[in-house]
Amino acid sequence: MDKEVLNIVDRRTGAAYDLPFFKGAIRAMDLRQIKTGPEDFGVMTYDPAFLNTASCQSAITFIDGDKGILRYRGYPVEQLAENCTFLEVAYLLLNGELPTEAELKEWVESITRHTMLHETSKKFLEGFRYNAHPMGMFISTVAALSTVYPEARHVLDPEVRRLQIRRLIGKVPTIAAYTYRHSLGFPYVYPDNDLSYAENFMNMLWKMVEPKYTANPVLARALDILFILHADHEQNCSTNAMRAVGSSQADPFLSTSAACAALSGPLHGGANEEVLKMLDVIGSKDKIPAYIDKVKAGEFKLMGFGHRVYKNYDPRARIIKWAAESVFEVTGRNAKLDIALELERIALEDDYFVKRKLYPNVDFYSGIIYQAMGFKPEMFTVLFAIPRTVGWLAQWQEMLCDAEQKIARPRQVYTGYEARDVVPMEKRGLTATSTTA
Ligand SMILES: CC(C)(COP(=O)(O)OP(=O)(O)OC[C@H]1O[C@@H](n2cnc3c(N)ncnc32)[C@H](O)[C@@H]1OP(=O)(O)O)[C@@H](O)C(=O)NCCC(=O)NCCS
């Protein structure tokens, strides 16, 4: 007897079905054969917010949420953070293997070649209001690249894809830095291709009148590590958006901008900004217990805590906590760290958080480092989007090369009216049939 099947008996008909397991899952389409008769559509699954549905096969990122494990292409993120640069990791995510020395040289050179923005993109950015949110500017400008590179729409051509991937990875730090300078009213700084990826980003952010910007190596390395930690995280909300929009064969600039939009929400990448606001509201360590009580009463969530997948300490939060120490040696200690540490200590001893397995996630400590480096909270999600662009592109490419994938189009369980006739205007309102949209 084949044990690799799920045996289902439909009590409506008495019929039994053997559904083969596929890599530990069952294929939802196999359920469609379960019908009460020829007119029956067949069984569907109902899974709001994809709590238990795999929408793809992926060989990029592995997470074991219960054990707190995160690996890119099999490598533990801790080892990558310790031994590699962000661009090495980007190569790994996109190509499946770490680069050789020659491959890395070619890769870094090609990314560096694409750091400049077309002057029209710069002018586009100039049109935003002085107080526009950097993430809104970032999302729109990434989308606007679609108008600069119309050939990008040929997404099934591997050479076209290859070029757009390099363009996007090269240009996102430039766009991010321009949004920052715009919000301060400072003139834009052009990329300096002598510098590393993180150093050049710092140059475009912070160069003032000096002829050549020199980045602090400790801060540049910390930023690079933060980029590594944020590079991919399997099928999260924004990656799902990237795959869904990309599945219609929209060009990668538009798909990436959709992914950025998903990232911007406070329940996803926007959480790091919310954490800082929360620490400001708490203000001092003695106010933490009262704040926690309000969280437990359901008034609001503890930002930077909890995760759909991690039911253990987020391994990225652990590395960020460690990287924070080296940053603070340069910048001085961010007073909010003490509040955050105490908040974590109290929460992790509290039954409410223990029972629900709510631990600090990546956003809990990242904002504290970013603030110590001199970023305003409004920039935090943009800082997340730069490295995540690599993960989105790796997942987008994997999706396009996957013969099983089609345009993403979920089913629904319809709960609205049965067919009914349009009521003439003069008779509407006489029957209580109106619903609000
Ligand atoms: C990340 C997040 C959206 C995951 O949500 P989810 O997987 O849908 O989890 P749920 O909302 O079902 O949470 C399960 C329970 O824990 C509670 N919970 C989850 N996160 C919480 C938080 N940060 N603070 C307080 N309670 C929280 C929920 O209220 C729920 O409690 P209940 O069972 O009594 O109803 C959620 O934890 C959250 O909003 N966190 C804060 C925002 C954040 O830091 N996001 C960044 C993620 S990297």
Side-chain angles (χ1 to χ4, degrees):
M1 193 170 130
D2 185 359
K3 287 198 178 135
E4 285 306 298
V5 296
L6 180 70
N7 183 255
I8 296 182
V9 176
D10 185 347
R11 297 268 172 236
R12 298 171 302 177
T13 59
Y17 302 84
D18 279 344
L19 306 190
F21 278 106
F22 170 74
K23 301 182 183 183
I26 55 160
R27 287 183 179 270
M29 278 305 286
D30 284 349
L31 294 168
R32 286 276 279 279
Q33 60 183 300
I34 305 176
K35 299 179 181 205
T36 50
E39 295 296 303
D40 188 355
F41 179 77
V43 170
M44 262 190 332
T45 55
Y46 172 59
D47 187 11
F50 303 116
L51 289 179
N52 195 35
T53 296
S55 62
C56 63
Q57 299 183 53
S58 181
I60 300 172
T61 292
F62 173 81
I63 301 175
D64 183 328
D66 289 327
K67 295 195 182 123
I69 290 174
L70 170 61
R71 297 185 201 128
Y72 299 156
R73 303 280 189 187
Y75 295 105
V77 73
E78 294 83 356
Q79 286 186 30
L80 294 168
E82 201 176 329
N83 300 302
C84 301
T85 63
F86 169 67
L87 283 186
E88 259 177 282
V89 172
Y91 184 99
L92 170 73
L93 285 167
L94 284 154
N95 300 295
E97 295 298 337
L98 283 166
T100 63
E101 210 173 337
E103 285 165 343
L104 182 62
K105 187 163 179 288
E106 188 278 328
W107 169 243
V108 172
E109 273 171 16
S110 75
I111 298 297
T112 308
R113 241 193 334 270
H114 291 294
T115 49
M116 293 277 268
L117 284 188
H118 194 282
E119 284 295 297
T120 55
S121 304
K122 201 183 99 182
K123 291 207 179 85
F124 178 83
L125 267 158
E126 278 164 11
F128 286 107
R129 267 188 86 182
Y130 65 96
N131 60 352
H133 195 288
M135 198 56 186
M137 292 191 264
F138 185 82
I139 294 167
S140 321
T141 312
V142 169
L145 292 181
S146 164
T147 65
V148 184
Y149 306 107
E151 73 277 18
R153 74 180 59 144
H154 303 298
V155 295
L156 299 182
D157 181 333
E159 271 314 300
V160 170
R161 278 204 304 269
R162 193 171 164 274
L163 177 58
Q164 312 319 315
I165 286 172
R166 287 162 193 240
R167 272 188 177 140
L168 254 169
I169 297 172
K171 287 183 202 317
V172 281
T174 315
I175 298 171
Y178 277 21
T179 69
Y180 176 76
R181 304 280 295 197
H182 182 82
S183 63
L184 294 175
F186 289 167
Y188 304 125
V189 175
Y190 284 86
D192 179 342
N193 289 352
D194 294 340
L195 303 176
S196 74
Y197 195 77
E199 286 170 340
N200 175 47
F201 180 47
M202 292 164 75
N203 159 66
M204 292 187 290
L205 290 165
W206 293 316
K207 182 170 183 284
M208 296 309 279
V209 292
E210 65 274 37
K212 181 104 182 155
Y213 180 82
T214 315
N216 180 300
V218 174
L219 298 187
R221 181 64 190 141
L223 200 54
D224 213 49
I225 289 175
L226 283 161
F227 282 176
I228 292 172
L229 300 181
H230 286 88
D232 193 50
H233 213 228
E234 52 119 303
Q235 308 311 314
N236 54 82
C237 177
S238 56
T239 302
N240 184 55
M242 180 84 188
R243 280 182 174 259
V245 176
S247 75
S248 76
Q249 299 184 1
D251 80 41
F253 302 109
L254 298 174
S255 301
T256 302
S257 123
C260 289
L263 185 75
S264 71
L267 298 188
H268 189 10
N272 49 16
E273 184 177 340
E274 298 302 317
V275 170
L276 258 275
K277 288 188 200 155
M278 175 184 79
L279 295 175
D280 274 339
V281 168
I282 296 175
S284 58
K285 286 203 261 183
D286 56 310
K287 307 257 170 54
I288 294 173
Y291 194 86
I292 296 252
D293 283 346
K294 289 188 177 167
V295 170
K296 284 158 60 179
E299 283 189 36
F300 36 71
K301 283 191 170 162
L302 193 58
M303 297 315 285
F305 259 69
H307 199 275
R308 171 63 58 80
V309 180
Y310 291 119
K311 301 302 168 197
N312 198 328
Y313 212 99
D314 182 335
R316 302 167 301 171
R318 209 186 298 280
I319 302 168
I320 290 182
K321 225 166 129 181
W322 158 78
E325 296 303 332
S326 64
V327 169
F328 295 152
E329 274 173 28
V330 177
T331 62
R333 196 173 168 86
N334 185 340
K336 293 201 180 73
L337 180 67
D338 294 325
I339 303 179
L341 287 169
E342 183 64 2
L343 190 56
E344 177 189 321
R345 191 190 65 74
I346 293 178
L348 293 187
E349 284 175 2
D350 192 302
D351 207 36
Y352 176 96
F353 297 89
V354 175
K355 240 173 51 197
R356 291 170 177 77
K357 299 187 176 171
L358 301 170
Y359 290 85
N361 58 49
V362 68
D363 296 311
F364 192 65
Y365 287 107
S366 62
I368 297 173
I369 301 197
Y370 290 144
Q371 193 178 49
M373 285 178 169
F375 291 105
K376 290 191 293 185
E378 295 80 55
M379 270 305 283
F380 294 173
T381 315
V382 174
L383 295 171
F384 191 156
I386 296 171
R388 184 54 61 85
T389 296
V390 166
W392 291 328
L393 290 168
Q395 300 269 352
W396 169 75
Q397 183 168 252
E398 186 176 61
M399 181 267 304
L400 287 173
C401 297
D402 181 344
E404 267 199 315
Q405 288 292 344
K406 292 172 182 286
I407 187 165
R409 206 307 187 178
R411 292 275 172 185
Q412 64 169 11
V413 175
Y414 179 69
T415 59
Y417 289 107
E418 292 298 324
R420 54 184 179 154
D421 296 322
V422 172
V423 178
M425 185 65 80
E426 62 278 11
K427 292 195 177 154
R428 288 182 208 165
L430 298 178
T431 49
T433 54
S434 66
T435 53
T436 43

